[in-house]
Amino acid sequence: MINDYILKKDAKYWKEYFEESNFDKKFYYDGNDLGAMYSKEKTLFKVWAPTAVEVYLNLYVTGSDEEVNAQLLETLPMKREEKGVFSYIKRGDLHGIYYTYTVTANGQTVETGDVYAKACGVNGHRSMVVDMERTNPDGWEKDMPIHYPLEDTQIWEVHIGDFSNDVASGVKSTYLGKYLAFTQENTTLEEDGVHSTCLAYLKQLGITHVQLLPSFDYGSVDEQMKDGSFNWGYDPINYNVPEGSYATDAFNGATRIKEYKQMVASLHKAGIAVVMDVVYNHTYSLNSHFNKTVPFYYYRQWEDGSFANGSACSNDTASDRAMFRKYMIDSVLYWIKEYHIDGFRFDLMGLHDVETMNEIRKAIDSLGECGKDIIIYGEPWAAADSPLKEPMKFAKKDAIVQLHERIAVFNDDTRDCIKGAYNKLQDPGFVNGKLGIEEEVKRAIKGMFAREWDVQPDSPAKLLNYVSAHDNSTLWDKLVDSVIKDRSYETKHETLIFMNKLAAAMVQFSKGIPFMQAGEEGGRTKLGEDNSYNLSKELNQIDWNRMYKFEDLINYYKGLISVRKSLLDIKTLTKEAADKINFIEGLPDQVVGYELGSQLKTLVIFNASNKVVELPLKGEWRLLVNECEAKPEGIKLMSKKVYISPICANVLVQIG
Ligand code: CA
């Protein structure tokens, strides 16, 4: 059989071989020692390469040949062991030594980094042996994961660079756009020294979780930063290593690890949990450590052997093959244990099979109490068609039915209902003037998908509600694009603000976990660009001066977050309770109102019309939210009647 591996075979051959020859049974390796296992006395190198005829270990002084002292130290033959694992034990303290493997498989010999690398050199080509102890910042042993009740979760999604690339952030110049910007505690606007920015700002906002756009090592930005390029980073190279362009030194493999931990510790100290955006569904390119180590194995293939393109990147990974499933599980557990990560957002989760996702949830839960509070959610869709078949493949409705009860999904139907279609810039939704969608709004309130999928999850923790994320227009830009063309609105700044406030209230007071793009609360704009993944950092970054031009809006968001926190009936809305929601009848067009609560009721009205709406009240009520304010302690007492201003949400609670 070994001889087969020497000869070059085509993609179709390998697909059949991996899927029809009991390959996964024969070669599945369940050990937890893949990678470079460091100790002071020796390092054990182990790489899974069952189709390789030979593997050599190369040791280097530096992470690339362009650095001072670059030198290949040794090339060592590795020994083939059970399950196609090749190993080598090297005596001595190897911390800081860079390494690669030279793998001969499928008729070719290539040099590759280690798929299980924990550290790497610049741009991730070479892996590095690392003594993890030496990367721990002071006090790391005391750093603890952050736990919040699921129903109080509020997620704020930010790109590490966007957070502080703006010099107005007041962050130290060497930390701008870096992990370490998150460690500066009392930053203020450069120009006034008063208004809080970055971490100090976040502490006041009331969010519980920061979700970082890709922070593993990705390929689209040159870590030497010679070209000043920007990217969101949905193009993984080393899944288990932090990205180097956010580190103060991308050449020393230990620096990015330590600084990432410093960022996590600082957010934790501020009471904020950290969610990683993980992109296990594809890699930067097929010229990856994975494909060089075991050609074709890690990638999903069509019947003819060609690579699947459900990610729109032409190289979908194969979560349904045993060793990539294991890889995903190992990787999330590693980030939890080594970096104290509190949650994961799975990019294009629809490309991962149901079993893998549920196995990941189980593996995390097996960590005990700490594991159960770690949140998992993802996009319940793919970017394009994929060979993955039912029942492994899931669509949105299956995500509710088949996925573990504590894996949540983004509800894009609610998103589009509130502010209009994501892919048609001028199309409005409820808040910006679309007529005749009152029934959709009711579905959104109950946490349901579009009409054709008549399912409602039991728990509100199964859904994420949002009106902006890194993809597509910012909420502000969407409102501008959808309204400016419509002359029936006097598109004053003020009107846009009211629409924005109403959209935010609908997110907070519908069934699901609230999620927002960083800066949505401050009128963030990308000047109408709806796909800024590789545009300039200036266009992408949070403009901290602009944020404070929207201070009233920011305060409104703060208020909404604290009002929601106080409303147990809404934040814990189960299917049973949602089915008992009393939608108020006889309201005018563009107005939806509901009452819920078994004893003292909560009353919520979303008025998207441009008229004042009058509603009679029985008994005494406390008004918590109107067009100007949102206060859990209440704005004023009301009885007999409430007048709801045009384009605004009102929330009232009964007091007798
Ligand atoms: Ca990188």
Side-chain angles (χ1 to χ4, degrees):
M1 188 196 297
I2 295 282
N3 284 339
D4 275 0
Y5 303 145
I6 299 171
L7 301 169
K8 193 169 172 63
K9 303 280 191 188
D10 67 9
K12 190 160 186 286
Y13 168 87
W14 288 112
K15 177 183 161 54
E16 285 166 8
Y17 183 62
F18 293 138
E19 294 180 1
E20 290 162 25
S21 74
N22 269 336
F23 179 86
D24 273 344
K25 280 215 172 73
K26 261 185 273 174
F27 291 108
Y28 180 76
Y29 178 69
D30 66 359
N32 57 5
D33 56 357
L34 292 174
M37 308 301 287
Y38 168 90
S39 72
K40 272 204 162 45
E41 297 72 38
K42 62 177 190 287
T43 294
L44 165 63
F45 295 89
K46 271 196 174 183
V47 57
W48 184 74
T51 62
V53 283
E54 55 182 17
V55 181
Y56 287 86
L57 167 68
N58 309 298
L59 301 179
Y60 293 94
V61 175
T62 55
S64 68
D65 278 336
E66 288 73 49
E67 292 162 63
V68 182
N69 298 327
Q71 191 192 338
L72 171 64
L73 293 169
E74 276 181 286
T75 291
L76 304 158
M78 299 182 80
K79 189 172 147 223
R80 187 176 175 115
E81 296 180 357
E82 271 187 286
K83 304 289 184 188
V85 171
F86 286 75
S87 77
Y88 193 94
I89 295 172
K90 176 73 183 168
R91 302 279 155 195
D93 185 344
L94 267 63
H95 173 75
I97 293 291
Y98 294 83
Y99 70 99
T100 59
Y101 299 122
T102 300
V103 178
T104 301
N106 196 30
Q108 46 194 342
T109 299
V110 289
E111 187 175 3
T112 177
D114 185 356
V115 299
Y116 269 88
K118 298 189 185 83
C120 65
V122 67
N123 289 327
H125 302 308
R126 286 180 191 162
S127 309
M128 189 188 97
V129 180
V130 59
D131 173 6
M132 278 297 179
E133 289 282 318
R134 287 187 233 183
T135 66
N136 292 344
D138 290 345
W140 183 244
E141 66 286 353
K142 293 193 206 89
D143 179 73
M144 297 294 281
I146 299 280
H147 303 299
Y148 283 102
L150 251 170
E151 66 265 22
D152 287 336
T153 300
Q154 296 271 354
I155 303 165
W156 196 76
E157 181 205 38
V158 73
H159 179 279
I160 290 169
D162 289 350
F163 187 64
S164 65
N165 268 332
D166 182 5
V167 290
S169 65
V171 163
K172 194 164 137 175
S173 63
T174 49
Y175 291 1
L176 292 173
K178 306 289 186 191
Y179 297 122
L180 292 180
F182 288 83
T183 66
Q184 279 207 272
E185 290 189 16
N186 296 305
T187 53
T188 49
L189 274 187
E190 177 95 327
E191 72 179 30
D192 69 9
V194 175
H195 290 97
S196 303
T197 62
C198 296
L199 190 68
Y201 165 83
L202 272 190
K203 279 162 83 168
Q204 298 163 9
L205 188 58
I207 54 108
T208 58
H209 290 66
V210 160
Q211 178 201 302
L212 302 167
L213 261 71
S215 56
F216 50 75
D217 175 37
Y218 60 77
S220 52
V221 167
D222 177 9
E223 294 180 356
Q224 300 180 73
M225 302 301 270
K226 283 183 184 155
D227 57 359
S229 65
F230 173 93
N231 207 288
W232 288 344
Y234 289 85
D235 44 68
I237 289 191
N238 289 290
Y239 284 110
N240 296 337
V241 183
E243 162 60 13
S245 61
Y246 304 134
T248 57
D249 179 356
F251 291 91
N252 179 339
T255 305
R256 60 179 78 187
I257 300 175
K258 182 174 185 180
E259 292 178 354
Y260 197 107
K261 288 176 174 175
Q262 286 176 275
M263 169 183 72
V264 172
S266 180
L267 282 160
H268 282 173
K269 192 172 159 222
I272 297 168
V274 181
V275 177
M276 272 189 96
D277 189 339
V278 285
V279 189
Y280 295 113
N281 62 76
H282 74 280
T283 56
Y284 181 50
S285 74
L286 281 170
N287 190 28
S288 65
H289 303 338
F290 291 95
N291 217 24
K292 288 198 247 180
T293 307
V294 192
F296 298 101
Y297 178 79
Y298 290 105
Y299 294 90
R300 189 170 288 148
Q301 295 169 276
W302 290 100
E303 281 305 312
D304 66 358
S306 60
F307 291 107
N309 187 30
S311 59
C313 299
S314 308
N315 60 20
D316 300 356
T317 52
S319 60
D320 44 329
R321 289 185 184 165
M323 285 302 281
F324 194 69
R325 174 175 297 158
K326 171 182 162 58
Y327 186 83
M328 287 173 66
I329 296 169
D330 288 348
S331 180
V332 292
L333 293 180
Y334 175 71
W335 282 100
I336 293 166
K337 289 174 184 165
E338 188 63 45
Y339 289 90
H340 307 174
I341 293 297
D342 309 287
F344 297 91
R345 176 261 189 205
F346 285 82
D347 186 64
L348 300 182
M349 188 168 64
L351 289 177
H352 301 317
D353 64 288
V354 173
E355 192 179 333
T356 298
M357 289 311 304
N358 289 346
E359 287 293 322
I360 287 172
R361 181 72 263 179
K362 273 186 229 156
I364 294 177
D365 286 353
S366 73
L367 300 173
E369 278 315 302
C370 136
K372 294 221 160 55
D373 286 338
I374 286 170
I375 58 173
I376 298 182
Y377 54 95
E379 297 177 308
W381 54 73
D385 198 17
S386 142
L388 196 60
K389 299 252 179 358
E390 302 267 7
M392 306 286 270
K393 183 180 188 169
F394 62 92
K396 278 191 287 184
K397 68 171 182 345
D398 307 316
I400 303 297
V401 180
Q402 290 197 63
L403 280 185
H404 191 285
E405 61 180 5
R406 281 180 293 106
I407 299 176
V409 297
F410 286 92
N411 190 342
D412 58 335
D413 291 326
T414 290
R415 175 196 69 193
D416 289 359
C417 166
I418 296 175
K419 52 110 191 191
Y422 73 97
N423 54 354
K424 293 173 191 153
L425 297 184
Q426 298 196 326
D427 276 19
F430 184 72
V431 303
N432 35 354
K434 188 167 181 179
L435 302 175
I437 57 166
E438 292 80 2
E439 289 308 311
E440 276 84 345
V441 171
K442 289 177 190 171
R443 297 176 71 85
I445 289 165
K446 291 169 75 170
M448 296 171 80
F449 289 128
R451 280 172 198 276
E452 65 268 28
W453 289 335
D454 200 8
V455 282
Q456 187 196 149
D458 284 332
S459 160
K462 191 82 191 176
L463 292 174
L464 266 71
N465 280 334
Y466 67 119
V467 284
S468 73
H470 66 276
D471 277 321
N472 314 124
S473 302
T474 68
L475 177 60
W476 186 261
D477 288 346
K478 172 71 187 178
L479 294 175
V480 169
D481 282 340
S482 62
V483 167
I484 291 294
K485 49 126 194 182
D486 184 351
R487 299 298 161 200
S488 67
Y489 280 101
E490 286 181 34
T491 51
K492 290 184 295 194
H493 180 84
E494 205 182 19
T495 308
L496 295 171
I497 293 280
F498 286 138
M499 289 173 174
N500 190 327
K501 287 179 172 177
L502 176 56
M506 290 178 74
V507 167
Q508 294 290 339
F509 306 122
S510 297
K511 177 172 168 174
I513 297 169
F515 169 103
M516 66 170 137
Q517 183 187 29
E520 176 194 303
E521 73 281 15
R524 184 165 175 188
T525 180
K526 293 180 191 169
L527 306 177
E529 286 290 350
D530 66 340
N531 185 7
S532 66
Y533 79 100
N534 65 352
L535 300 181
S536 73
K537 67 177 190 184
E538 289 77 13
L539 179 76
N540 276 282
Q541 73 198 14
I542 295 176
D543 175 343
W544 286 101
N545 281 320
R546 177 183 166 92
M547 291 283 279
Y548 280 103
K549 293 189 181 119
F550 289 77
E551 197 170 3
D552 168 62
L553 187 60
I554 291 172
N555 288 332
Y556 193 77
Y557 271 79
K558 286 182 192 170
L560 290 178
I561 289 171
S562 48
V563 168
R564 176 183 159 94
K565 201 174 171 189
S566 74
L567 297 177
L568 194 67
D569 285 334
I570 290 180
K571 69 182 183 179
T572 62
L573 195 63
T574 58
K575 181 174 188 302
E576 202 188 342
D579 284 337
K580 288 183 193 149
I581 284 178
N582 176 27
F583 287 105
I584 295 155
E585 290 184 11
L587 290 171
D589 289 349
Q590 295 181 275
V591 186
V592 175
Y594 70 90
E595 252 183 8
L596 90 166
S598 43
Q599 308 218 320
L600 292 176
K601 295 196 183 310
T602 303
L603 173 63
V604 178
I605 306 108
F606 300 137
N607 176 12
S609 77
N610 50 14
K611 299 190 187 70
V612 175
V613 173
E614 276 181 54
L615 197 67
L617 295 172
K618 274 187 202 151
E620 290 282 314
W621 296 75
R622 181 178 285 120
L623 178 70
L624 307 185
V625 175
N626 65 10
E627 73 282 13
C628 299
E629 289 178 282
K631 284 181 171 176
E633 67 277 19
I635 300 162
K636 59 183 170 185
L637 297 181
M638 315 212 64
S639 57
K640 290 179 187 160
K641 245 180 199 183
V642 56
Y643 297 90
I644 303 121
S645 299
I647 314 177
C648 97
N650 273 24
V651 177
L652 299 95
V653 287
Q654 206 173 21
I655 51 173

mmCIF file of all heavy atoms in Angstrom, residues 33 37 62 66-67 151 166 175 182 221 235 272 294 345 384 394 403 438 448 452 487 544 548 570 579 615 631 645:
data_model
loop_
_atom_site.group_PDB
_atom_site.id
_atom_site.type_symbol
_atom_site.label_atom_id
_atom_site.label_comp_id
_atom_site.label_asym_id
_atom_site.label_seq_id
_atom_site.Cartn_x
_atom_site.Cartn_y
_atom_site.Cartn_z
ATOM 1 N N ASP A 33 -1.323 14.469 21.622
ATOM 2 C CA ASP A 33 0.065 14.933 21.629
ATOM 3 C C ASP A 33 0.577 15.298 20.245
ATOM 4 O O ASP A 33 1.778 15.318 19.999
ATOM 5 C CB ASP A 33 0.964 13.862 22.268
ATOM 6 C CG ASP A 33 0.840 12.504 21.585
ATOM 7 O OD1 ASP A 33 0.020 12.381 20.650
ATOM 8 O OD2 ASP A 33 1.554 11.567 21.979
ATOM 9 N N MET A 37 5.489 18.895 21.547
ATOM 10 C CA MET A 37 5.229 18.838 22.983
ATOM 11 C C MET A 37 6.519 19.204 23.710
ATOM 12 O O MET A 37 7.458 18.411 23.760
ATOM 13 C CB MET A 37 4.747 17.444 23.401
ATOM 14 C CG MET A 37 3.565 16.917 22.590
ATOM 15 S SD MET A 37 2.097 17.972 22.659
ATOM 16 C CE MET A 37 1.547 17.633 24.314
ATOM 17 N N THR A 62 15.440 30.975 12.928
ATOM 18 C CA THR A 62 14.462 32.070 12.782
ATOM 19 C C THR A 62 13.203 31.589 12.061
ATOM 20 O O THR A 62 13.183 30.505 11.476
ATOM 21 C CB THR A 62 15.064 33.239 11.971
ATOM 22 O OG1 THR A 62 15.523 32.712 10.720
ATOM 23 C CG2 THR A 62 16.206 33.908 12.704
ATOM 24 N N GLU A 66 14.614 35.699 5.818
ATOM 25 C CA GLU A 66 14.997 37.104 5.632
ATOM 26 C C GLU A 66 15.540 37.731 6.904
ATOM 27 O O GLU A 66 15.989 38.870 6.894
ATOM 28 C CB GLU A 66 13.795 37.928 5.153
ATOM 29 C CG GLU A 66 13.373 37.671 3.715
ATOM 30 C CD GLU A 66 12.683 36.332 3.517
ATOM 31 O OE1 GLU A 66 11.758 36.036 4.302
ATOM 32 O OE2 GLU A 66 13.089 35.568 2.621
ATOM 33 N N GLU A 67 15.517 36.999 8.006
ATOM 34 C CA GLU A 67 15.928 37.602 9.276
ATOM 35 C C GLU A 67 17.427 37.416 9.542
ATOM 36 O O GLU A 67 18.055 36.507 8.991
ATOM 37 C CB GLU A 67 15.110 36.972 10.424
ATOM 38 C CG GLU A 67 13.646 37.356 10.347
ATOM 39 C CD GLU A 67 12.740 36.437 11.161
ATOM 40 O OE1 GLU A 67 12.900 36.405 12.385
ATOM 41 O OE2 GLU A 67 11.894 35.764 10.551
ATOM 42 N N GLU A 151 -29.266 34.790 29.374
ATOM 43 C CA GLU A 151 -30.297 35.769 29.020
ATOM 44 C C GLU A 151 -29.811 37.208 29.174
ATOM 45 O O GLU A 151 -30.438 38.125 28.669
ATOM 46 C CB GLU A 151 -31.575 35.536 29.836
ATOM 47 C CG GLU A 151 -31.444 35.785 31.329
ATOM 48 C CD GLU A 151 -31.145 34.521 32.125
ATOM 49 O OE1 GLU A 151 -30.629 33.551 31.531
ATOM 50 O OE2 GLU A 151 -31.430 34.518 33.332
ATOM 51 N N ASP A 166 -7.790 54.330 15.044
ATOM 52 C CA ASP A 166 -7.980 55.788 14.994
ATOM 53 C C ASP A 166 -7.109 56.457 16.068
ATOM 54 O O ASP A 166 -7.255 56.167 17.260
ATOM 55 C CB ASP A 166 -9.472 56.062 15.264
ATOM 56 C CG ASP A 166 -9.817 57.541 15.198
ATOM 57 O OD1 ASP A 166 -8.930 58.355 14.843
ATOM 58 O OD2 ASP A 166 -10.982 57.868 15.508
ATOM 59 N N TYR A 175 0.613 51.041 20.380
ATOM 60 C CA TYR A 175 -0.458 50.050 20.600
ATOM 61 C C TYR A 175 -1.631 50.209 19.631
ATOM 62 O O TYR A 175 -2.567 49.420 19.654
ATOM 63 C CB TYR A 175 -1.025 50.168 22.018
ATOM 64 C CG TYR A 175 -0.112 49.744 23.145
ATOM 65 C CD1 TYR A 175 1.186 49.299 22.902
ATOM 66 C CD2 TYR A 175 -0.565 49.775 24.464
ATOM 67 C CE1 TYR A 175 2.022 48.921 23.945
ATOM 68 C CE2 TYR A 175 0.256 49.388 25.515
ATOM 69 C CZ TYR A 175 1.556 48.972 25.253
ATOM 70 O OH TYR A 175 2.362 48.597 26.287
ATOM 71 N N PHE A 182 -6.126 46.924 23.990
ATOM 72 C CA PHE A 182 -7.174 46.484 24.923
ATOM 73 C C PHE A 182 -6.693 46.517 26.380
ATOM 74 O O PHE A 182 -7.478 46.302 27.294
ATOM 75 C CB PHE A 182 -7.636 45.062 24.581
ATOM 76 C CG PHE A 182 -8.466 44.969 23.328
ATOM 77 C CD1 PHE A 182 -7.861 44.910 22.074
ATOM 78 C CD2 PHE A 182 -9.851 44.935 23.392
ATOM 79 C CE1 PHE A 182 -8.626 44.817 20.916
ATOM 80 C CE2 PHE A 182 -10.627 44.839 22.244
ATOM 81 C CZ PHE A 182 -10.007 44.785 20.996
ATOM 82 N N VAL A 221 -2.820 39.580 5.409
ATOM 83 C CA VAL A 221 -2.076 40.791 5.755
ATOM 84 C C VAL A 221 -0.616 40.412 5.989
ATOM 85 O O VAL A 221 -0.323 39.456 6.711
ATOM 86 C CB VAL A 221 -2.668 41.457 7.027
ATOM 87 C CG1 VAL A 221 -1.722 42.515 7.585
ATOM 88 C CG2 VAL A 221 -4.018 42.092 6.703
ATOM 89 N N ASP A 235 -9.274 34.154 6.613
ATOM 90 C CA ASP A 235 -8.425 33.337 5.741
ATOM 91 C C ASP A 235 -7.315 32.694 6.571
ATOM 92 O O ASP A 235 -6.170 33.100 6.547
ATOM 93 C CB ASP A 235 -7.852 34.214 4.614
ATOM 94 C CG ASP A 235 -7.351 35.556 5.128
ATOM 95 O OD1 ASP A 235 -6.349 35.569 5.855
ATOM 96 O OD2 ASP A 235 -7.978 36.594 4.825
ATOM 97 N N ILE A 272 -15.588 41.753 30.984
ATOM 98 C CA ILE A 272 -16.076 41.472 29.629
ATOM 99 C C ILE A 272 -15.540 40.123 29.147
ATOM 100 O O ILE A 272 -14.342 39.851 29.223
ATOM 101 C CB ILE A 272 -15.648 42.594 28.663
ATOM 102 C CG1 ILE A 272 -16.284 43.926 29.098
ATOM 103 C CG2 ILE A 272 -16.044 42.261 27.228
ATOM 104 C CD1 ILE A 272 -15.715 45.137 28.412
ATOM 105 N N VAL A 294 -1.205 16.115 4.453
ATOM 106 C CA VAL A 294 -1.989 14.957 3.986
ATOM 107 C C VAL A 294 -2.800 15.427 2.773
ATOM 108 O O VAL A 294 -3.932 15.894 2.911
ATOM 109 C CB VAL A 294 -2.949 14.422 5.084
ATOM 110 C CG1 VAL A 294 -3.522 13.066 4.659
ATOM 111 C CG2 VAL A 294 -2.265 14.324 6.430
ATOM 112 N N ARG A 345 -17.799 32.012 17.797
ATOM 113 C CA ARG A 345 -18.741 32.322 16.733
ATOM 114 C C ARG A 345 -18.229 31.591 15.498
ATOM 115 O O ARG A 345 -17.115 31.833 15.042
ATOM 116 C CB ARG A 345 -18.770 33.835 16.510
ATOM 117 C CG ARG A 345 -19.644 34.318 15.357
ATOM 118 C CD ARG A 345 -18.823 34.602 14.124
ATOM 119 N NE ARG A 345 -19.601 35.253 13.076
ATOM 120 C CZ ARG A 345 -19.310 35.180 11.788
ATOM 121 N NH1 ARG A 345 -18.273 34.499 11.367
ATOM 122 N NH2 ARG A 345 -20.047 35.813 10.901
ATOM 123 N N ALA A 384 -22.323 29.134 -0.552
ATOM 124 C CA ALA A 384 -22.717 28.540 -1.834
ATOM 125 C C ALA A 384 -22.999 27.060 -1.598
ATOM 126 O O ALA A 384 -22.868 26.571 -0.482
ATOM 127 C CB ALA A 384 -21.600 28.720 -2.858
ATOM 128 N N PHE A 394 -27.213 21.144 7.489
ATOM 129 C CA PHE A 394 -28.404 21.747 8.086
ATOM 130 C C PHE A 394 -28.662 23.131 7.523
ATOM 131 O O PHE A 394 -27.747 23.859 7.175
ATOM 132 C CB PHE A 394 -28.296 21.804 9.606
ATOM 133 C CG PHE A 394 -27.154 22.639 10.108
ATOM 134 C CD1 PHE A 394 -27.337 23.977 10.394
ATOM 135 C CD2 PHE A 394 -25.902 22.084 10.295
ATOM 136 C CE1 PHE A 394 -26.289 24.755 10.862
ATOM 137 C CE2 PHE A 394 -24.845 22.850 10.747
ATOM 138 C CZ PHE A 394 -25.030 24.183 11.035
ATOM 139 N N LEU A 403 -29.494 20.946 15.900
ATOM 140 C CA LEU A 403 -28.307 21.348 16.649
ATOM 141 C C LEU A 403 -28.594 21.330 18.142
ATOM 142 O O LEU A 403 -29.719 21.557 18.576
ATOM 143 C CB LEU A 403 -27.866 22.760 16.255
ATOM 144 C CG LEU A 403 -27.061 22.923 14.961
ATOM 145 C CD1 LEU A 403 -26.617 24.372 14.839
ATOM 146 C CD2 LEU A 403 -25.852 22.013 14.921
ATOM 147 N N GLU A 438 -46.301 43.903 9.152
ATOM 148 C CA GLU A 438 -46.615 43.762 10.583
ATOM 149 C C GLU A 438 -46.543 42.295 11.041
ATOM 150 O O GLU A 438 -46.085 42.014 12.148
ATOM 151 C CB GLU A 438 -48.003 44.340 10.887
ATOM 152 C CG GLU A 438 -48.108 45.853 10.733
ATOM 153 C CD GLU A 438 -48.262 46.328 9.282
ATOM 154 O OE1 GLU A 438 -48.331 45.487 8.376
ATOM 155 O OE2 GLU A 438 -48.295 47.550 9.064
ATOM 156 N N MET A 448 -38.987 33.810 15.357
ATOM 157 C CA MET A 448 -39.206 32.829 14.290
ATOM 158 C C MET A 448 -38.508 33.274 13.020
ATOM 159 O O MET A 448 -38.267 34.442 12.797
ATOM 160 C CB MET A 448 -40.706 32.670 14.047
ATOM 161 C CG MET A 448 -41.398 32.109 15.265
ATOM 162 S SD MET A 448 -43.166 32.135 15.121
ATOM 163 C CE MET A 448 -43.438 30.701 14.115
ATOM 164 N N GLU A 452 -41.680 30.456 5.405
ATOM 165 C CA GLU A 452 -41.603 29.063 4.927
ATOM 166 C C GLU A 452 -41.015 28.111 5.983
ATOM 167 O O GLU A 452 -41.143 26.909 5.852
ATOM 168 C CB GLU A 452 -40.824 28.979 3.608
ATOM 169 C CG GLU A 452 -39.371 29.345 3.688
ATOM 170 C CD GLU A 452 -39.103 30.819 3.390
ATOM 171 O OE1 GLU A 452 -39.996 31.666 3.637
ATOM 172 O OE2 GLU A 452 -38.011 31.106 2.908
ATOM 173 N N ARG A 487 -38.727 60.543 -0.942
ATOM 174 C CA ARG A 487 -38.989 61.938 -0.580
ATOM 175 C C ARG A 487 -40.185 62.098 0.354
ATOM 176 O O ARG A 487 -40.471 63.185 0.819
ATOM 177 C CB ARG A 487 -39.194 62.789 -1.834
ATOM 178 C CG ARG A 487 -37.988 62.804 -2.756
ATOM 179 C CD ARG A 487 -36.773 63.405 -2.067
ATOM 180 N NE ARG A 487 -35.560 63.000 -2.781
ATOM 181 C CZ ARG A 487 -34.344 63.027 -2.240
ATOM 182 N NH1 ARG A 487 -34.176 63.407 -0.998
ATOM 183 N NH2 ARG A 487 -33.301 62.653 -2.929
ATOM 184 N N TRP A 544 -13.619 57.560 16.575
ATOM 185 C CA TRP A 544 -14.015 57.879 17.956
ATOM 186 C C TRP A 544 -14.564 59.291 18.113
ATOM 187 O O TRP A 544 -15.415 59.530 18.975
ATOM 188 C CB TRP A 544 -12.859 57.602 18.927
ATOM 189 C CG TRP A 544 -12.675 56.122 19.151
ATOM 190 C CD1 TRP A 544 -11.742 55.305 18.578
ATOM 191 C CD2 TRP A 544 -13.486 55.277 19.992
ATOM 192 N NE1 TRP A 544 -11.919 54.003 18.996
ATOM 193 C CE2 TRP A 544 -12.972 53.960 19.866
ATOM 194 C CE3 TRP A 544 -14.590 55.487 20.812
ATOM 195 C CZ2 TRP A 544 -13.527 52.877 20.553
ATOM 196 C CZ3 TRP A 544 -15.140 54.409 21.495
ATOM 197 C CH2 TRP A 544 -14.607 53.121 21.362
ATOM 198 N N TYR A 548 -18.806 60.310 19.414
ATOM 199 C CA TYR A 548 -19.325 61.253 20.418
ATOM 200 C C TYR A 548 -20.196 62.348 19.821
ATOM 201 O O TYR A 548 -20.839 63.098 20.543
ATOM 202 C CB TYR A 548 -18.189 61.787 21.289
ATOM 203 C CG TYR A 548 -17.853 60.756 22.352
ATOM 204 C CD1 TYR A 548 -16.738 59.937 22.247
ATOM 205 C CD2 TYR A 548 -18.723 60.557 23.419
ATOM 206 C CE1 TYR A 548 -16.484 58.960 23.200
ATOM 207 C CE2 TYR A 548 -18.479 59.582 24.373
ATOM 208 C CZ TYR A 548 -17.356 58.796 24.260
ATOM 209 O OH TYR A 548 -17.126 57.824 25.201
ATOM 210 N N ILE A 570 -39.157 39.210 29.085
ATOM 211 C CA ILE A 570 -38.695 39.307 27.698
ATOM 212 C C ILE A 570 -37.392 38.562 27.500
ATOM 213 O O ILE A 570 -37.244 37.779 26.568
ATOM 214 C CB ILE A 570 -38.554 40.786 27.268
ATOM 215 C CG1 ILE A 570 -39.956 41.394 27.149
ATOM 216 C CG2 ILE A 570 -37.793 40.906 25.949
ATOM 217 C CD1 ILE A 570 -39.993 42.839 26.741
ATOM 218 N N ASP A 579 -45.824 31.899 22.780
ATOM 219 C CA ASP A 579 -47.119 31.543 22.198
ATOM 220 C C ASP A 579 -48.274 32.232 22.931
ATOM 221 O O ASP A 579 -49.380 32.310 22.407
ATOM 222 C CB ASP A 579 -47.301 30.022 22.206
ATOM 223 C CG ASP A 579 -46.468 29.364 21.111
ATOM 224 O OD1 ASP A 579 -46.128 30.066 20.132
ATOM 225 O OD2 ASP A 579 -46.122 28.176 21.247
ATOM 226 N N LEU A 615 -52.876 54.918 22.786
ATOM 227 C CA LEU A 615 -53.284 53.590 23.252
ATOM 228 C C LEU A 615 -53.840 53.725 24.670
ATOM 229 O O LEU A 615 -53.176 54.288 25.546
ATOM 230 C CB LEU A 615 -52.055 52.675 23.246
ATOM 231 C CG LEU A 615 -52.302 51.181 23.312
ATOM 232 C CD1 LEU A 615 -52.973 50.669 22.049
ATOM 233 C CD2 LEU A 615 -50.974 50.459 23.517
ATOM 234 N N LYS A 631 -34.799 53.940 30.485
ATOM 235 C CA LYS A 631 -34.351 53.906 31.881
ATOM 236 C C LYS A 631 -35.034 52.769 32.628
ATOM 237 O O LYS A 631 -36.270 52.754 32.720
ATOM 238 C CB LYS A 631 -34.772 55.192 32.602
ATOM 239 C CG LYS A 631 -33.964 56.407 32.290
ATOM 240 C CD LYS A 631 -34.523 57.547 33.125
ATOM 241 C CE LYS A 631 -33.644 58.783 33.066
ATOM 242 N NZ LYS A 631 -34.276 59.882 33.801
ATOM 243 N N SER A 645 -44.854 58.377 20.121
ATOM 244 C CA SER A 645 -44.394 59.299 19.074
ATOM 245 C C SER A 645 -44.111 58.549 17.775
ATOM 246 O O SER A 645 -43.888 57.343 17.787
ATOM 247 C CB SER A 645 -43.111 59.998 19.520
ATOM 248 O OG SER A 645 -43.372 60.727 20.680
#
